[in-house]
Amino acid sequence: MNFFLQGLTMGLAYVIPIGMQNLFVIDSALTNTRKRALLNALIVIFFDVALSLSCFFGIGVLMQHYQWLKLAILLIGSLIVIYIGVGLIQSGKTETNQSRSTTTLKKSISTAFVVTWFNPQAIIDGTMMLGAFRVTLPTSSSTPFITGVSIASVIWFTGLTLLISFFSDWFNPKALRIINLICGVIIIGYGIKLLFNFFQLILH
Protein backbone atom coordinates (compact mmCIF):
# COMPACT_ATOMS: atom_id res chain seq x y z
CA MET A 1 0.00 0.00 0.00
CA ASN A 2 2.89 2.32 0.78
CA PHE A 3 4.35 1.97 -2.73
CA PHE A 4 0.90 2.47 -4.27
CA LEU A 5 0.52 5.77 -2.40
CA GLN A 6 4.02 6.80 -3.47
CA GLY A 7 3.07 6.09 -7.07
CA LEU A 8 -0.20 7.99 -6.67
CA THR A 9 1.47 11.12 -5.27
CA MET A 10 4.32 11.00 -7.78
CA GLY A 11 1.83 10.41 -10.58
CA LEU A 12 -0.07 13.56 -9.60
CA ALA A 13 3.18 15.53 -9.38
CA TYR A 14 4.08 14.23 -12.85
CA VAL A 15 0.77 14.77 -14.64
CA ILE A 16 -0.49 18.06 -13.19
CA PRO A 17 2.21 20.33 -14.71
CA ILE A 18 2.05 18.78 -18.23
CA GLY A 19 0.39 21.76 -19.88
CA MET A 20 -0.33 20.37 -23.35
CA GLN A 21 -2.55 17.58 -22.08
CA ASN A 22 -4.27 19.82 -19.57
CA LEU A 23 -5.00 22.48 -22.20
CA PHE A 24 -6.47 19.85 -24.52
CA VAL A 25 -8.70 18.47 -21.76
CA ILE A 26 -9.81 21.96 -20.69
CA ASP A 27 -10.58 23.01 -24.27
CA SER A 28 -12.45 19.75 -24.81
CA ALA A 29 -14.58 20.31 -21.70
CA LEU A 30 -15.40 23.86 -22.80
CA THR A 31 -16.27 23.13 -26.43
CA ASN A 32 -17.81 19.62 -26.36
CA THR A 33 -20.70 17.93 -24.64
CA ARG A 34 -19.88 16.50 -21.23
CA LYS A 35 -20.15 12.95 -22.54
CA ARG A 36 -17.69 13.63 -25.39
CA ALA A 37 -15.38 15.60 -23.07
CA LEU A 38 -15.21 12.59 -20.73
CA LEU A 39 -14.50 10.31 -23.69
CA ASN A 40 -11.68 12.63 -24.77
CA ALA A 41 -10.34 12.57 -21.21
CA LEU A 42 -10.31 8.76 -21.29
CA ILE A 43 -8.36 8.86 -24.55
CA VAL A 44 -5.81 11.20 -22.96
CA ILE A 45 -5.61 8.91 -19.93
CA PHE A 46 -4.91 5.92 -22.19
CA PHE A 47 -2.01 7.65 -23.93
CA ASP A 48 -0.73 9.15 -20.69
CA VAL A 49 -0.67 5.78 -18.93
CA ALA A 50 1.06 4.25 -21.96
CA LEU A 51 3.68 7.01 -21.82
CA SER A 52 4.15 6.52 -18.06
CA LEU A 53 4.66 2.79 -18.54
CA SER A 54 7.16 3.43 -21.33
CA CYS A 55 9.11 5.93 -19.23
CA PHE A 56 9.02 3.60 -16.24
CA PHE A 57 10.14 0.50 -18.10
CA GLY A 58 12.59 1.71 -20.69
CA ILE A 59 12.18 4.68 -23.02
CA GLY A 60 14.39 6.72 -20.73
CA VAL A 61 17.23 4.25 -21.21
CA LEU A 62 17.02 4.71 -24.97
CA MET A 63 17.10 8.49 -24.64
CA GLN A 64 20.08 8.36 -22.33
CA HIS A 65 22.04 6.11 -24.68
CA TYR A 66 21.10 7.75 -27.98
CA GLN A 67 21.58 11.52 -28.06
CA TRP A 68 20.21 11.70 -31.61
CA LEU A 69 16.89 10.27 -30.37
CA LYS A 70 16.60 12.97 -27.73
CA LEU A 71 17.44 15.64 -30.32
CA ALA A 72 14.89 14.23 -32.78
CA ILE A 73 12.15 14.21 -30.13
CA LEU A 74 12.98 17.79 -29.15
CA LEU A 75 13.04 19.09 -32.72
CA ILE A 76 9.94 17.31 -34.02
CA GLY A 77 8.04 17.86 -30.79
CA SER A 78 8.80 21.58 -30.61
CA LEU A 79 7.65 22.14 -34.20
CA ILE A 80 4.41 20.23 -33.59
CA VAL A 81 3.79 22.16 -30.37
CA ILE A 82 4.22 25.47 -32.22
CA TYR A 83 1.88 24.22 -34.97
CA ILE A 84 -0.79 23.36 -32.37
CA GLY A 85 -0.41 26.81 -30.79
CA VAL A 86 -0.85 28.54 -34.15
CA GLY A 87 -3.94 26.43 -34.79
CA LEU A 88 -5.43 27.49 -31.45
CA ILE A 89 -4.79 31.18 -32.21
CA GLN A 90 -6.43 30.84 -35.62
CA SER A 91 -9.45 29.10 -34.11
CA GLY A 92 -9.61 31.83 -31.48
CA LYS A 93 -9.94 34.45 -34.20
CA THR A 94 -12.95 32.73 -35.76
CA GLU A 95 -16.48 32.89 -34.47
CA THR A 96 -17.31 30.28 -31.84
CA ASN A 97 -20.71 28.67 -31.89
CA GLN A 98 -22.54 29.01 -28.58
CA SER A 99 -23.92 25.49 -28.82
CA ARG A 100 -21.80 22.51 -27.88
CA SER A 101 -19.79 21.16 -30.79
CA THR A 102 -18.54 17.60 -31.14
CA THR A 103 -15.17 16.83 -32.64
CA THR A 104 -14.75 13.60 -34.56
CA LEU A 105 -13.41 10.62 -32.65
CA LYS A 106 -10.51 10.33 -35.10
CA LYS A 107 -9.48 13.93 -34.48
CA SER A 108 -9.77 13.50 -30.71
CA ILE A 109 -7.55 10.41 -30.77
CA SER A 110 -4.92 11.99 -33.03
CA THR A 111 -4.80 15.22 -31.00
CA ALA A 112 -4.59 13.35 -27.68
CA PHE A 113 -1.78 11.22 -29.11
CA VAL A 114 0.14 14.28 -30.31
CA VAL A 115 -0.18 16.30 -27.08
CA THR A 116 1.06 13.26 -25.13
CA TRP A 117 3.65 11.48 -27.26
CA PHE A 118 4.97 14.49 -29.18
CA ASN A 119 5.45 16.53 -26.02
CA PRO A 120 9.22 16.36 -25.39
CA GLN A 121 8.92 17.80 -21.89
CA ALA A 122 6.46 15.06 -20.87
CA ILE A 123 8.86 12.37 -22.10
CA ILE A 124 11.87 13.98 -20.45
CA ASP A 125 10.04 14.58 -17.15
CA GLY A 126 8.67 11.04 -17.20
CA THR A 127 12.14 9.66 -17.83
CA MET A 128 13.68 11.66 -15.00
CA MET A 129 10.91 11.02 -12.46
CA LEU A 130 9.60 7.56 -13.25
CA GLY A 131 12.55 5.95 -14.98
CA ALA A 132 15.02 7.09 -12.35
CA PHE A 133 12.71 6.18 -9.45
CA ARG A 134 12.29 2.64 -10.77
CA VAL A 135 15.96 1.96 -10.05
CA THR A 136 15.35 2.54 -6.33
CA LEU A 137 12.33 0.23 -6.11
CA PRO A 138 12.40 -3.45 -5.15
CA THR A 139 11.21 -5.62 -8.03
CA SER A 140 8.05 -6.67 -6.22
CA SER A 141 7.07 -3.03 -5.66
CA SER A 142 7.05 -1.96 -9.32
CA THR A 143 3.46 -3.08 -9.98
CA PRO A 144 1.75 -1.26 -7.07
CA PHE A 145 3.88 1.85 -7.75
CA ILE A 146 3.04 2.13 -11.46
CA THR A 147 -0.60 1.29 -10.65
CA GLY A 148 -0.66 4.32 -8.37
CA VAL A 149 0.83 6.45 -11.16
CA SER A 150 -1.88 5.24 -13.56
CA ILE A 151 -4.68 5.89 -11.06
CA ALA A 152 -3.34 9.43 -10.61
CA SER A 153 -3.82 10.03 -14.33
CA VAL A 154 -7.42 8.79 -14.14
CA ILE A 155 -8.23 10.95 -11.11
CA TRP A 156 -6.63 14.11 -12.51
CA PHE A 157 -7.96 14.16 -16.07
CA THR A 158 -11.43 12.91 -15.14
CA GLY A 159 -11.71 15.39 -12.27
CA LEU A 160 -10.42 18.27 -14.41
CA THR A 161 -12.92 17.45 -17.18
CA LEU A 162 -15.88 17.27 -14.79
CA LEU A 163 -14.89 20.50 -13.04
CA ILE A 164 -14.44 22.53 -16.23
CA SER A 165 -17.53 20.98 -17.85
CA PHE A 166 -19.65 21.85 -14.81
CA PHE A 167 -18.69 25.54 -15.10
CA SER A 168 -18.55 25.64 -18.91
CA ASP A 169 -21.85 27.53 -19.18
CA TRP A 170 -20.15 30.50 -17.53
CA PHE A 171 -18.01 30.96 -20.65
CA ASN A 172 -19.58 32.81 -23.59
CA PRO A 173 -18.20 32.63 -27.17
CA LYS A 174 -16.05 35.73 -26.65
CA ALA A 175 -14.49 34.22 -23.52
CA LEU A 176 -13.77 30.98 -25.41
CA ARG A 177 -12.03 32.92 -28.18
CA ILE A 178 -9.90 34.74 -25.62
CA ILE A 179 -9.04 31.45 -23.87
CA ASN A 180 -7.98 29.91 -27.20
CA LEU A 181 -5.83 32.93 -28.02
CA ILE A 182 -4.14 32.88 -24.61
CA CYS A 183 -3.59 29.12 -24.74
CA GLY A 184 -2.21 29.44 -28.27
CA VAL A 185 0.31 32.06 -27.20
CA ILE A 186 1.37 29.98 -24.19
CA ILE A 187 1.80 26.86 -26.32
CA ILE A 188 3.82 28.72 -28.98
CA GLY A 189 6.08 30.12 -26.26
CA TYR A 190 6.47 26.60 -24.86
CA GLY A 191 7.36 25.27 -28.32
CA ILE A 192 9.92 28.03 -28.87
CA LYS A 193 11.49 27.17 -25.52
CA LEU A 194 11.78 23.51 -26.57
CA LEU A 195 13.30 24.58 -29.89
CA PHE A 196 15.80 26.72 -27.98
CA ASN A 197 16.72 23.69 -25.86
CA PHE A 198 17.28 21.71 -29.07
CA PHE A 199 19.75 24.29 -30.41
CA GLN A 200 21.50 24.44 -27.04
CA LEU A 201 22.10 20.69 -27.18
CA ILE A 202 23.32 20.96 -30.77
CA LEU A 203 25.82 23.70 -29.92
CA HIS A 204 27.11 21.81 -26.91
Side-chain angles (χ1 to χ4, degrees), residues 9 11 21 26 46 54 61 65 67 77 104 108 111 118 120 142 152 179 181 198:
T9 54
Q21 291 169 308
I26 290 170
F46 172 79
S54 299
V61 176
H65 281 80
Q67 181 73 358
T104 64
S108 296
T111 305
F118 284 83
S142 295
I179 289 172
L181 288 171
F198 167 78

Side-chain angles (χ1 to χ4, degrees), residues 179-198:
I179 289 172
N180 276 346
L181 288 171
I182 293 173
C183 290
V185 170
I186 292 172
I187 289 175
I188 289 174
Y190 177 65
I192 292 173
K193 178 187 174 185
L194 293 173
L195 198 58
F196 178 73
N197 291 341
F198 167 78

Side-chain angles (χ1 to χ4, degrees), residues 117-129:
W117 280 91
F118 284 83
N119 184 350
Q121 197 61 53
I123 297 175
I124 293 170
D125 288 348
T127 299
M128 297 300 295
M129 291 181 66

Side-chain angles (χ1 to χ4, degrees), residues 75-173:
L75 177 60
I76 297 172
S78 61
L79 294 176
I80 291 176
V81 167
I82 292 172
Y83 176 78
I84 292 173
V86 171
L88 269 177
I89 289 178
Q90 289 177 342
S91 68
K93 290 179 179 178
T94 60
E95 290 296 321
T96 305
N97 193 346
Q98 183 112 24
S99 62
R100 292 279 176 247
S101 60
T102 302
T103 55
T104 64
L105 184 61
K106 182 179 178 180
K107 184 176 180 181
S108 296
I109 292 173
S110 60
T111 305
F113 176 78
V114 166
V115 299
T116 303
W117 280 91
F118 284 83
N119 184 350
Q121 197 61 53
I123 297 175
I124 293 170
D125 288 348
T127 299
M128 297 300 295
M129 291 181 66
L130 302 177
F133 196 80
R134 179 174 179 257
V135 179
T136 67
L137 287 174
T139 305
S140 59
S141 304
S142 295
T143 299
F145 177 83
I146 199 62
T147 300
V149 172
S150 301
I151 295 297
S153 181
V154 174
I155 292 172
W156 174 252
F157 289 118
T158 303
L160 183 63
T161 297
L162 289 174
L163 179 65
I164 298 298
S165 179
F166 182 77
F167 292 105
S168 61
D169 290 336
W170 293 14
F171 297 90
N172 57 36

Side-chain angles (χ1 to χ4, degrees), residues 53-73:
L53 289 170
S54 299
C55 290
F56 188 70
F57 288 109
I59 194 173
V61 176
L62 291 175
M63 289 182 63
Q64 289 171 359
H65 281 80
Y66 299 104
Q67 181 73 358
W68 64 266
L69 178 60
K70 185 175 182 179
L71 289 172
I73 290 173

